Amino acid sequence: MKIEKADRVKKLPPYLFKEIDRMKAEIVEKGVDVIDLGVGDPDLPTPPHIIESLKKAVQDPSTHRYPSYSGMNDFKEAVARWYKKRFGVSLDPGTEVVTLIGSKEGIAHLPLAFINDGDLSLVANPCYPVYHTATMFAGGDSYFLPLRKENNFLPDLDNVPEDIAGKARLLFINYPNNPTAAVADEEFFRKVIDFANRYNVIVCHDAAYTELAYDGYRPISFLEVPGAKEVGIEFHSLSKTYNMTGWRLGFAVGNADVVSGLGQIKSNVDSGVFNAIQIAGITALDSSQDCVIENCSIYKDRRDILVDGLKKVGLNVEKPVATFYVWSEVPPGYSSAKFASLLLKEAGIVVTPGNGFGEAGEGYFRMALTVDKSRIEEAVARMAKLNF
Ligand SMILES: *Cc1c(COP(=O)(O)O)cnc(C)c1O
């Protein structure tokens, strides 16, 4: 029998990191000590008080049964408390919060609730790839809004053609941004809300990095801006904030109709997050946030070493005030792929070529600050020996 995959699988974009992965495997094979700045996955452990909370919760047999579809009430209340304390935003835990199996899960399912065949999602790009693959899975198409340096890596909404805006149902944005590390202010979010109201577009703000910020900068929530809750939702995650990527715990908050649509899809797909994990999540959100401050101070040291080193070797790069990514221009005469391959072959350093996040990322490469300071020092020293 011939196994034929569905069109939506055949239509998946080619995996752009395949070549890098292949080269990396080849170089590791040769015994090179590879420094991997490619993947954005915290190297630091989950704080002990959160682990202790899980240990206790898992001993309680009542957590062993099916969780509620939309999330434990106690967890959703903790999310509402955290939003109030952190952003001054009031949320109704009953209707404006849904627990997610990591925010990726919610982002991937949302278009199924709001996209019909042929509808468009507006996707700021370069970006986290899930926004457009999820749109495609739902039968829609993505229209990419390029993020350019001259616009501080914010999409230019005034330049979206009228007919495109008319067909759009969703707008995906993400600040602090992966991969560019750009940040957004209230003025930008106000423009987003105007745009959403004018064209009846649901705003999906991915806020995975609001807690990783430096130099006194405090990222805002989209929902802090008046009118935001009428037009959209915000995705959040415990993954990056508390070094919990493996735990799979996130949430979406905001417009009750959007939250409910996402919840309807989810209740037909999954059966919620293990209650013991949600209980540990309550501990994370309700406890002292000193562990987050400590995290940030570690990333800040790493950032300073890396960016100072990149500048010294002549790269055009700025210190990010948020996220754990550094987004650098490639040197003149190189494409993203060519420079990433040079770093790997000549210096044993893995970075992500910018075009892997979309065409508008060409000319850049991304480094994640998720390796120890001494390894970053080593990476910088190796780069200093290269000729480019
Ligand atoms: C890491 C990341 C996520 C997903 O995080 P989860 O672990 O699924 O909560 C979502 N968006 C962006 C931009 C990310 O970088």
Side-chain angles (χ1 to χ4, degrees), residues 40 101-105 107 128 131 174 178 206 208-209 236-240 245 248-250 325:
I101 312 169
S103 58
K104 182 180 187 178
E105 176 267 302
I107 294 165
Y128 190 59
Y131 312 141
N174 161 225
N178 174 14
D206 181 350
Y209 293 97
H236 234 294
S237 173
L238 281 76
S239 287
K240 316 288 165 57
T245 46
R248 313 312 303 135
L249 183 59
Y325 301 111

